[in-house]
């Protein structure tokens, strides 16, 4: 059969893999334990044969979603988790040990930053660098460096990492290269194209898209050979060495840490995945129109959006993300505008903390997600009290523009 496009592949995936009754969705399997009629088969599954034993390590419903994510990322395998944070926790904590060194982008999701603080407390050394230039990653390298981590597009500053340059460096030094692709989703960017070893997606965001389920995933691109990676435990050094890393992430992250995605949530994400391409295209079109409109208004001091010529990594974003720029933008209102009064006038935009939803969401950054770090650190990072984070949704663009216009008119 010829290779189908993204959406064709995803919407026919379950039907093609599952011939029971011709169901077009793999059902929501709710069994906790899986029974065997043959004791030898039971032992074989415990010893590594594909199958199901106990739902903490996955169900046919999570496996169907994992198959779709693997197809989306053109990877070799995927493990799903209860949340994006559970996926990141499983990745860092199962692959790194005390004394190892991690190089990490300094522009990362706040909760990931906090998680890495916990990892540092357990003896992993971490260097935070400006990943918009791969030279900074290169300069941070030490003989103990095992892994490099970056996001594709940072929140809320929209910095675009030097994903290709970092990939080239990781290839040269044989480092594990982990990319959190949540903000771009596999529609705009596939980690394998820049040599990533593992790609993390917070399914709660674009893949699910409907704001009705949490979830996360780690996809192995199949590009990294774990044979020489020192932290793979003996029981997982079996079969193809390119799959050892993901096996360990699954055993540690699901079986031991227990961060398992429920079948209910897996089913919701699988439904969301069917329209990911449509939604993402609409979101990107809306966001570009909105960014263009707002950047011309005198009451808006600055718009941070990679689709604008004024963005520091505009050309890189164009070539990496195929001419689309995602749904996230930073909007700094003019200094004399009362940000709370402005936000309270909005009728369509939702005051809520989330990203990649069908609905357009807005937050005053300094007063919410960056509140904890205090005014000095915010000033260093260029985060003003009037900076808004907007995650653009799929509404009709005229309504989004009109909502900003009416709220600004009275500001
Ligand atoms: C939201 C987010 C996460 C965490 O996902 P949850 O499902 O909310 O735990 C991780 N990385 C990025 C870039 C995110 O935006």
């Amino acid at each position: 059969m010829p290779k189908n496009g993204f959406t064709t592949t995803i919407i026919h995936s379950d039907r093609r893999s599952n011939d029971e009754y011709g169901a077009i969705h793999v059902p929501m399997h709710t069994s906790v334990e899986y029974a065997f009629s043959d004791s030898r088969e039971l032992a074989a599954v415990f010893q590594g044969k594909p199958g199901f034993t106990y739902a903490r390590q996955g169900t046919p419903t999570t496996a169907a979603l994992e198959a779709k994510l693997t197809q989306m990322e053109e990877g070799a395998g995927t493990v799903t988790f209860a949340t994006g944070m559970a996926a990141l926790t499983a990745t860092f904590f199962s692959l790194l040990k005390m004394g190892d060194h991690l190089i990490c982008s300094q522009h990362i999701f706040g909760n990931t930053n906090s998680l890495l603080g916990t990892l540092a407390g357990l003896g992993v050394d971490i260097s935070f660098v400006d990943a918009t230039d791969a030279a900074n990653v290169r300069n941070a390298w030490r003989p103990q460096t095992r892994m490099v981590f970056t996001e594709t597009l940072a929140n809320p500053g929209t910095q675009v990492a030097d994903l290709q340059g970092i990939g080239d460096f990781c290839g040269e030094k044989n480092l594990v290269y982990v990319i959190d692709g949540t903000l771009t989703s596999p529609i705009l960017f596939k980690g394998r194209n820049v040599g990533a070893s593992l790609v993390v997606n917070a399914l709660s965001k674009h893949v699910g898209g409907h704001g009705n389920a949490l979830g996360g995933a780690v996809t192995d691109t199949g590009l990294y050979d774990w044979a020489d990676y020192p932290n793979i435990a003996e029981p997982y050094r079996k079969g193809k060495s390119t799959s050892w890393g993901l096996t360990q992430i699954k055993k540690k992250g699901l079986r031991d840490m227990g961060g398992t995605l429920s079948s209910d949530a897996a089913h919701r994400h699988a439904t969301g995945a069917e329209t990911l391409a449509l939604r993402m295209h609409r979101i990107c079109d809306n966001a570009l129109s909105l960014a263009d409109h707002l950047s011309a208004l005198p009451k808006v001091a600055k718009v941070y959006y990679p689709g604008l010529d004024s963005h520091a990594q505009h050309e890189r974003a164009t070539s990496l993300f195929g001419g689309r720029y995602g749904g996230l933008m930073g909007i700094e209102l003019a200094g004399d505008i009362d940000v709370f009064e402005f936000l309270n006038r909005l009728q369509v935009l939702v005051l809520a903390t989330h990203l990649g939803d069908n609905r357009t969401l807005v937050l005053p950054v300094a007063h919410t997600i960056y509140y904890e770090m205090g005014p000095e650190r915010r000033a260093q990072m260029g985060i003003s009290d009037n900076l808004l984070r907007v995650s653009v949704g799929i509404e009709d663009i005229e309504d989004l523009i009109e909502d900003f216009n009416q709220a600004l008119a009275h500001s």
Side-chain angles (χ1 to χ4, degrees):
M1 197 175 67
K3 193 171 172 297
N4 290 141
F6 187 96
T7 296
T8 311
T9 302
I10 299 310
I11 65 177
H12 294 287
S13 172
D14 282 3
R15 183 175 65 79
R16 284 175 177 159
S17 66
N18 170 37
D19 59 7
E20 196 186 27
Y21 312 119
I24 54 153
H25 297 290
V26 168
M28 225 184 283
H29 285 272
T30 56
S31 289
V32 169
E33 75 275 36
Y34 288 79
F36 293 80
S37 52
D38 175 0
S39 57
R40 288 190 183 82
E41 180 70 9
L42 177 144
V45 173
F46 267 82
Q47 291 170 23
K49 182 177 172 181
F52 301 95
T53 54
Y54 189 70
R56 188 175 350 101
Q57 293 197 66
T59 66
T61 315
T62 57
L65 176 63
E66 287 164 353
K68 291 190 187 84
L69 288 157
T70 300
Q71 290 169 318
M72 288 184 194
E73 292 286 357
E74 296 175 22
T78 297
V79 180
T80 52
F81 292 89
T83 63
M85 290 314 302
L88 288 164
T89 302
T91 303
F92 293 127
F93 284 73
S94 49
L95 295 177
L96 295 169
K97 284 191 173 148
M98 187 168 76
D100 287 346
H101 178 235
L102 166 69
I103 303 173
C104 182
S105 164
Q106 69 192 26
H107 305 297
I108 53 167
F109 182 58
N111 301 162
T112 306
N113 191 59
S114 174
L115 172 70
L116 293 176
T118 309
L119 190 70
L122 296 174
V124 173
D125 289 323
I126 306 177
S127 300
F128 290 96
V129 303
D130 180 354
T132 60
D133 185 350
N136 297 324
V137 173
R138 188 176 287 274
N139 291 338
W141 182 86
R142 308 172 195 168
Q144 301 79 14
T145 306
R146 297 261 174 265
M147 180 187 286
V148 178
F149 174 79
T150 185
E151 296 174 3
T152 48
L153 188 60
N155 155 26
T158 73
Q159 295 91 344
V160 180
D162 186 357
L163 297 165
Q164 183 66 61
I166 297 171
D168 294 344
F169 176 68
C170 289
E172 211 177 284
K173 295 284 186 190
N174 198 26
L175 301 173
V176 176
Y177 183 19
V178 182
I179 295 181
D180 182 335
T182 297
L183 270 100
T184 38
S185 90
I187 297 296
L188 301 191
F189 176 77
K190 291 179 181 57
R192 71 166 297 117
N193 294 339
V194 296
S197 319
L198 301 167
V199 179
V200 175
N201 279 290
L203 306 176
S204 321
K205 311 292 173 60
H206 285 297
V207 173
H210 293 67
N212 61 2
L214 292 164
V218 182
T219 299
D220 186 345
T221 59
L223 298 177
Y224 191 80
D225 186 346
W226 301 88
D228 297 324
Y229 192 77
N231 301 345
I232 304 292
E234 203 46 47
Y236 314 132
R237 296 180 162 271
K238 271 198 266 176
K240 275 192 311 193
S241 54
T242 49
S243 68
W244 296 354
L246 195 69
T247 302
Q248 180 153 307
I249 290 171
K250 180 169 181 172
K251 289 292 180 188
K252 301 288 166 189
L254 298 184
R255 189 197 59 192
D256 302 357
M257 298 177 195
T260 310
L261 184 69
S262 71
S263 284
D264 180 355
H267 178 72
R268 291 170 195 246
H269 291 305
T271 309
E274 296 194 355
T275 55
L276 177 59
L278 281 78
R279 291 183 287 105
M280 204 65 200
H281 290 172
R282 169 96 162 198
I283 284 171
C284 293
D285 291 349
N286 276 355
L288 188 58
S289 301
L290 190 64
D292 274 335
H293 175 77
L294 294 175
S295 53
L297 301 181
K299 288 182 179 172
V300 174
K302 176 118 180 99
V303 178
Y304 300 89
Y305 186 64
L308 298 176
D309 289 338
S310 57
H311 191 279
Q313 292 94 33
H314 173 65
E315 276 166 36
R316 173 185 294 160
T318 303
S319 75
L320 284 172
F321 308 150
R324 295 182 198 268
Y325 305 93
L328 189 86
M329 70 180 71
I331 298 169
E332 196 178 317
L333 299 180
D336 56 341
I337 293 180
D338 182 323
V339 70
F340 293 106
E341 290 297 322
F342 168 82
L343 289 169
N344 285 344
R345 282 191 203 101
L346 292 166
Q347 305 287 316
V348 176
L349 272 80
V350 187
L351 308 183
T353 180
H354 185 39
L355 300 169
D357 193 85
N358 284 340
R359 285 145 284 265
T360 301
L361 314 175
V362 59
L363 268 190
V365 175
H367 312 277
T368 58
I369 51 174
Y370 279 22
Y371 178 72
E372 220 177 84
M373 67 176 56
E376 252 170 60
R377 181 96 174 77
R378 283 198 298 270
Q380 274 170 9
M381 295 179 72
I383 305 228
S384 90
D385 285 356
N386 268 9
L387 180 68
L388 304 177
R389 179 185 79 186
V390 175
S391 171
V392 178
I394 62 170
E395 293 94 341
D396 300 282
I397 183 63
E398 300 77 17
D399 296 329
L400 296 178
I401 287 177
E402 174 48 30
D403 203 26
F404 268 99
N405 286 350
Q406 66 81 17
L408 281 172
H410 299 95
S411 296

